[in-house]
Amino acid sequence: MSIFSINSNSANNTFKPLDIFAGLSVASILLPEAVAYAAIGSLSIQAALSAVLAGLICYALFGASRFAIVAPTSSSAALVAAASLSLLPGSPEQRAALSFALVILTGCGLMVVAFARLGRLSAFISRPVLHGFSFALATTIIIKQLPIMLGVSAKGGNPFSLIANLIDLAPQWSWWSLAAGVAALVLLLGLKKYTKLPAAFIVLAIGIGAAYLVDLSALHISMVGQFDLGMPRVGIPDLSKQQWLSAAELAGGLLVIIFAESWGSIRSFALQHGDAVEPNRELFALGAANFVSGLIRGMPVGAGFSASSANESSGAQSKWAGVVAALCVLLLAAFGKSLIEHIPEPVLAAAVVGALMHSLNPKPIIALWRMNRDQYLTLAALISVLYFGVLHGMLIAVALSLASAIRTFSQPSVRELTELDSTRNYVDHANHPEALPHKNILILRPEEPLFFASVDGIFDLIKAQIHARSDCKILILSLEQSSDLDSSAAESLIELTQILSNKYQIVTLLARVKDPVRVLLQKTAPTIFQMNLFWSVADAADFAKQFLANGKPS
């Protein structure tokens, strides 16, 4: 399957009028966010704006999600800043060059992983973990807007310490700044609820108008402020071989952050709306976006949760919303520089909060508690992100998903199958006690695929059930759960068959054997598995009855 396997004629590529409004709303958030992320990454606003354009255009060309907005993110900006400072603590120009090299290498790495078709590893991030991650990420971003709305410089490694620091700074709060932010948020939510207008764009426009009419600085209300723009330079950063190698060492970490954060956003919205997304295609799109961003001296980009939420909540219908946002950013950067400089920061914070409010819906988490399935996994992911931060919390969330999968496979289950009223339908005897077993025949079905981590536990259970059936002369194993076998599972299956035959004089038959398993066993042990592989349990049972009656099948 190609990494571009999703139908190019899908609804995600069809332009809709609502995409214009969504693009306007997203652009109104991306520009001021770019200013903030440039400061986090210790890079110029030019680098952030170049990254916005590269991310939006490249993702529109190669990506599949209609909601994903690929642009600079706070976590990737923070990592790039830390990496460049630790590897090359020289002039700002040298650190910037190393940052761009890191972005290029990360983009190349993402594309290599896509072509290696390793995107399915993302399936180990379970839905319960995604629910907890999404809720906690939205909460974290919203809480980080509070210092802006209160007009103070509060710091904290996680939302809890940030809130504690905010309380300590209570005497310094700017009540006018808070009033502006709250008023903007109320207006934003009202426009979203009662109109289909681009609410974020309207609110920011009103904020800019207020900045021109009123001296907001006298009211201690901060604004974005002045910044410089120029034409982007295209090319490979001029670094030594050792510096490129040092950047390559950190590119793996940035790659994991970008894809895990982006895939969390992309898959969350895809699940909500029933859309199809393919991880290898998303990997390639993110890789292309970062590669191009690095070439034009831009920051790393990913599918940020806040911008993607703004796009989804504004009614985006296709990827064209991102293209509209790119055009708006380009026009605003070229002709609206002074307007951007006059955006009040608490109004901008209100726009970010408004974009994330609907992501605080607890219904998916409550549903897990009602099902009594995986709710603690969701809770652990939520607390990890809140306490340890987005980066470490995200890695912990992934580890929790893997631990959950390992736990499932480390608790093997084997069911006995019996025939239901001579219908040739074989069902779980524990759930259907009226179904009776055949004399001298034991039919078992492993409930997990046979592979190196599960095969020993499953075969131990099979041996225990054989010992419990002293009359067993023929064992039928239904392998319907195993689409293929690795070398460990194949060797263990051969060993089990030989032990049962030599030590207990029990014949082993395999039922519901899929083609890859059939070919492998006949190639590996043709003398053992030439005649005892069957398409169905009923066929295997008929063979066993004939064998017991005649000593051989009729």
Side-chain angles (χ1 to χ4, degrees):
M1 183 184 293
S2 168
I3 59 174
F4 302 109
S5 59
I6 293 180
N7 191 348
S8 61
N9 294 321
S10 67
N12 291 3
N13 294 330
T14 304
F15 177 77
K16 305 283 196 318
L18 281 176
D19 292 328
I20 297 176
F21 298 112
L24 287 171
S25 297
V26 170
S28 66
I29 290 177
L30 285 181
L31 265 173
E33 273 191 350
V35 177
Y37 295 154
I40 293 173
S42 299
L43 293 168
S44 66
I45 292 178
Q46 173 71 55
L49 292 177
S50 297
V52 169
L53 296 176
L56 293 174
I57 297 300
C58 288
Y59 189 82
L61 290 174
F62 303 115
S65 172
R66 55 178 162 151
F67 301 118
I69 294 296
V70 177
T73 66
S74 58
S75 55
S76 61
L79 182 63
V80 163
S84 62
L85 188 61
S86 62
L87 293 179
L88 191 61
S91 66
E93 291 77 14
Q94 290 176 314
R95 292 200 302 271
L98 185 66
S99 299
F100 303 142
L102 183 58
V103 178
I104 290 174
L105 291 172
T106 299
C108 291
L110 285 164
M111 288 188 286
V112 168
V113 173
F115 281 114
R117 309 174 70 80
L118 297 177
R120 284 297 173 188
L121 293 176
S122 62
F124 283 97
I125 306 177
S126 64
R127 290 193 184 192
V129 166
L130 272 177
H131 291 323
F133 176 83
S134 300
F135 190 92
L137 183 57
T139 302
T140 299
I141 296 174
I142 287 173
I143 291 175
K144 286 185 177 182
Q145 306 308 309
L146 295 180
I148 300 174
M149 297 184 75
L150 292 168
V152 294
S153 298
K155 296 180 179 179
N158 58 55
F160 305 108
S161 59
L162 180 61
I163 291 174
N165 190 218
L166 274 175
I167 294 173
D168 292 336
L169 295 173
Q172 301 178 29
W173 289 1
S174 170
W175 295 105
W176 281 109
S177 179
L178 178 61
V182 170
L185 182 58
V186 170
L187 177 60
L188 180 67
L189 296 178
L191 288 172
K192 283 185 175 182
K193 184 175 182 179
Y194 297 108
T195 73
K196 293 185 178 181
L197 299 174
F201 184 82
I202 292 173
V203 169
L204 288 181
I206 292 173
I208 293 171
Y212 277 103
L213 296 174
V214 181
D215 184 6
L216 297 182
S217 60
L219 301 175
H220 303 288
I221 298 177
S222 300
M223 288 181 287
V224 169
Q226 294 185 351
F227 59 93
D228 296 323
L229 288 177
M231 290 295 295
R233 291 185 297 128
V234 181
I236 303 294
D238 185 15
L239 296 172
S240 66
K241 179 180 178 180
Q242 184 57 45
Q243 289 169 341
W244 277 101
L245 291 174
S246 298
E249 293 175 0
L250 290 175
L254 183 57
L255 183 155
V256 171
I257 291 170
I258 288 174
F259 184 57
E261 183 180 34
S262 300
W263 182 245
S265 300
I266 292 169
R267 191 179 175 205
S268 292
F269 292 120
L271 290 175
Q272 290 176 30
H273 295 271
D275 292 344
V277 288
E278 206 283 322
N280 289 312
R281 176 170 182 169
E282 301 307 308
L283 273 168
F284 182 84
L286 292 168
N290 278 278
F291 179 73
V292 172
S293 179
L295 284 180
I296 62 175
R297 304 294 197 270
M299 298 174 63
V301 293
F305 198 77
S306 59
S308 299
S309 293
N311 193 35
E312 187 258 359
S313 62
S314 299
Q317 299 295 304
S318 74
K319 294 189 297 180
W320 280 97
V323 176
V324 172
L327 293 174
C328 292
V329 168
L330 185 61
L331 291 174
L332 286 171
F335 305 107
K337 178 174 172 293
S338 61
L339 298 176
I340 300 170
E341 294 172 343
H342 282 79
I343 296 176
E345 289 193 340
V347 175
L348 171 60
V352 174
V353 172
L356 292 168
M357 287 291 287
H358 75 293
S359 298
L360 297 180
N361 187 348
K363 286 184 179 179
I365 300 175
I366 294 173
L368 293 175
W369 284 91
R370 288 175 176 169
M371 287 190 291
N372 195 26
R373 293 289 188 277
D374 301 320
Q375 64 269 36
Y376 296 109
L377 189 62
T378 298
L379 188 61
L382 191 155
I383 294 173
S384 296
V385 174
L386 289 177
Y387 187 80
F388 295 104
V390 175
L391 170 57
H392 295 97
M394 174 184 56
L395 296 177
I396 291 172
V398 173
L400 288 172
S401 289
L402 293 174
S404 177
I406 292 171
R407 179 178 178 274
T408 299
F409 288 123
S410 67
Q411 297 178 329
S413 175
V414 176
R415 299 290 185 178
E416 181 181 359
L417 303 182
T418 49
E419 188 175 13
L420 188 64
D421 297 330
S422 301
T423 61
R424 294 177 61 83
N425 293 320
Y426 285 81
V427 294
D428 181 0
H429 184 62
N431 294 324
H432 299 273
E434 72 277 11
L436 300 177
H438 297 304
K439 184 179 179 181
N440 302 131
I441 301 172
L442 177 62
I443 306 174
L444 299 178
R445 179 182 66 199
E447 295 298 286
E448 293 85 24
L450 297 181
F451 73 111
F452 70 92
S454 68
V455 67
D456 289 339
I458 289 174
F459 286 175
D460 286 343
L461 291 178
I462 290 173
K463 293 173 185 176
Q465 295 213 38
I466 290 174
H467 289 153
R469 282 280 303 271
S470 58
D471 70 324
C472 179
K473 294 182 180 179
I474 295 181
L475 170 69
I476 299 176
L477 285 182
S478 177
L479 300 184
E480 60 197 79
Q481 301 292 343
S482 300
S483 60
D484 203 349
L485 301 178
D486 59 21
S487 60
S488 298
E491 290 176 3
S492 296
L493 184 57
I494 293 170
E495 291 171 1
L496 176 68
T497 303
Q498 291 174 330
I499 290 172
L500 293 179
S501 176
N502 298 333
K503 188 174 181 179
Y504 302 102
Q505 288 73 53
I506 294 176
V507 176
T508 302
L509 308 179
L510 304 182
R512 294 175 180 170
V513 183
K514 295 181 170 60
D515 284 330
V517 178
R518 184 181 296 269
V519 171
L520 174 63
L521 293 178
Q522 290 179 340
K523 179 180 179 181
T524 306
T527 58
I528 299 176
F529 297 109
Q530 190 63 39
M531 297 294 295
N532 58 352
L533 304 180
F534 299 89
W535 297 112
S536 71
V537 173
D539 289 342
D542 289 344
F543 181 96
K545 293 174 188 177
Q546 295 168 9
F547 187 93
L548 292 171
N550 308 318
K552 61 180 180 179
S554 59

